[in-house]
Amino acid sequence: MSRVVLIDDEPKAIESLKWELENFCPEIEVIDTFTDPRKALKYFEGLPEIDCLFLDIEMPQMDGFRFLDQLGERDFAVIITTAYDQYGINAIKERALDYLLKPIDSDDLIQACDKIEQYRKEHSLIDRFEETLMNAMSNSSTGHRRIGLNIDGKIMFLRPDELMYCEGDGNYTSVFLENGEKLFITQTLKKIEEKLGGSEFYRIHNSYVINLTKVREYLKTDSMVIMTDGKNIPVSRNRKSDFLRKF
């Protein structure tokens, strides 16, 4: 089953599309709908696991393309649904999987749903390949652990001692390396923390994961650590005791 979300400012349009999907596309599951794109943005902050977004363009609160701009990077397909035919070029620029004109023809919708299923299967294979590759590098027979990070369409494998600290900002994370390089990753800090593993990494603050081996000083009065690159990072009050035990 492919999981989809519908966004359209007209409730009747959502009801109609949902009915069509339920009756003509049994492989599609509608997990949520929104008539207000601003509420949808809040929903997507939670990083829901979906395969496709059906998105209207002409909406009074925020048009569909502005919504995609604010959404940023995404790991799901987008199908544009609109009563106007002048948005084709923008749809291509936004890498839309399909473009459906209202009133949506049932045959066109079925073909679009076939594309969603193909998209889901292809990305599932890619995800499994990446997971296998990362596991192989993490459990290398050489005994040297590697951490795989997805960056700009590639997987970068790093030794744990190359990482200094990670700083989260919503759906994005900046990874700072010992050599001064900064990597920008379109994943939450929680996701990166899960990938890091190892006893040397610690979530010292809601916005920071640090490499404990790169801590140069701990300022007790300021509840702050100074990293070996000179960066000052705050220690969260509710993590202070646990941090000191580990450190």
Side-chain angles (χ1 to χ4, degrees):
M1 292 283 285
S2 293
R3 294 157 55 86
V4 305
V5 168
L6 317 180
I7 301 178
D8 196 309
D9 65 300
E10 298 180 10
K12 288 185 178 179
I14 285 185
E15 290 174 12
S16 175
L17 178 55
K18 189 176 179 181
W19 185 89
E20 292 264 354
L21 289 169
E22 290 173 346
N23 285 273
F24 295 105
C25 306
E27 73 281 5
I28 299 295
E29 178 187 5
V30 178
I31 62 170
D32 224 324
T33 65
F34 295 91
T35 55
D36 186 339
R38 295 168 300 185
K39 291 182 179 179
L41 281 175
K42 289 289 184 183
Y43 171 80
F44 279 101
E45 287 179 3
L47 299 177
E49 294 185 5
I50 71 166
D51 300 295
C52 186
L53 168 65
F54 283 82
L55 178 65
D56 185 31
I57 297 300
E58 292 280 349
M59 295 183 287
Q61 306 94 335
M62 179 190 304
D63 72 56
F65 294 121
R66 186 180 166 206
F67 174 86
L68 290 176
D69 285 342
Q70 295 203 20
L71 190 63
E73 288 293 322
R74 57 183 186 268
D75 59 358
F76 50 84
V78 173
I79 291 180
I80 301 298
T81 61
T82 179
Y84 306 91
D85 60 4
Q86 69 264 36
Y87 297 117
I89 298 299
N90 284 336
I92 293 171
K93 289 180 179 178
E94 290 293 343
R95 297 174 285 115
L97 186 66
D98 211 336
Y99 185 90
L100 299 177
L101 282 174
K102 299 177 183 177
I104 297 173
D105 180 79
S106 298
D107 290 336
D108 290 342
L109 181 61
I110 291 170
Q111 289 179 13
C113 289
D114 287 341
K115 292 180 183 180
I116 296 173
E117 276 293 283
Q118 185 63 29
Y119 176 92
R120 182 181 65 82
K121 290 174 182 177
E122 288 175 356
H123 280 71
S124 178
L125 285 172
I126 293 171
D127 290 343
R128 288 203 297 271
F129 171 74
E130 288 185 0
E131 184 179 353
T132 300
L133 184 58
M134 287 184 179
N135 286 338
M137 293 297 291
S138 297
N139 302 300
S140 172
S141 58
T142 63
H144 300 297
R145 185 165 74 93
R146 291 288 188 275
I147 297 165
L149 299 176
N150 290 293
I151 304 168
D152 295 332
K154 62 185 178 183
I155 303 175
M156 181 177 286
F157 293 99
L158 301 167
R159 299 189 314 274
D161 64 354
E162 292 184 86
L163 277 71
M164 184 75 66
Y165 60 91
C166 305
E167 182 178 1
D169 182 13
N171 292 335
Y172 308 98
T173 301
S174 295
V175 177
F176 295 83
L177 304 184
E178 190 173 44
N179 64 6
E181 188 177 357
K182 176 183 175 181
L183 307 176
F184 185 72
I185 302 176
T186 54
Q187 286 186 314
T188 64
L189 185 60
K190 182 180 179 181
K191 288 282 187 183
I192 300 301
E193 183 184 12
E194 291 171 357
K195 288 186 177 183
L196 293 177
S199 59
E200 66 267 59
F201 294 102
Y202 182 71
R203 183 76 172 266
I204 199 170
H205 185 276
N206 189 47
S207 299
Y208 291 96
V209 171
I210 66 169
N211 187 335
L212 293 171
T213 68
K214 306 298 180 181
V215 175
R216 186 173 67 195
E217 298 178 40
Y218 170 62
L219 306 179
K220 293 188 291 184
T221 54
D222 299 323
S223 194
M224 188 91 64
V225 295
I226 300 178
M227 307 302 290
T228 54
D229 66 349
K231 170 72 174 180
N232 289 19
I233 297 178
V235 181
S236 177
R237 184 171 59 182
N238 62 350
R239 298 175 187 267
K240 182 177 179 180
S241 297
D242 189 46
F243 162 69
L244 291 174
R245 282 195 298 270
K246 287 180 176 295
F247 190 59

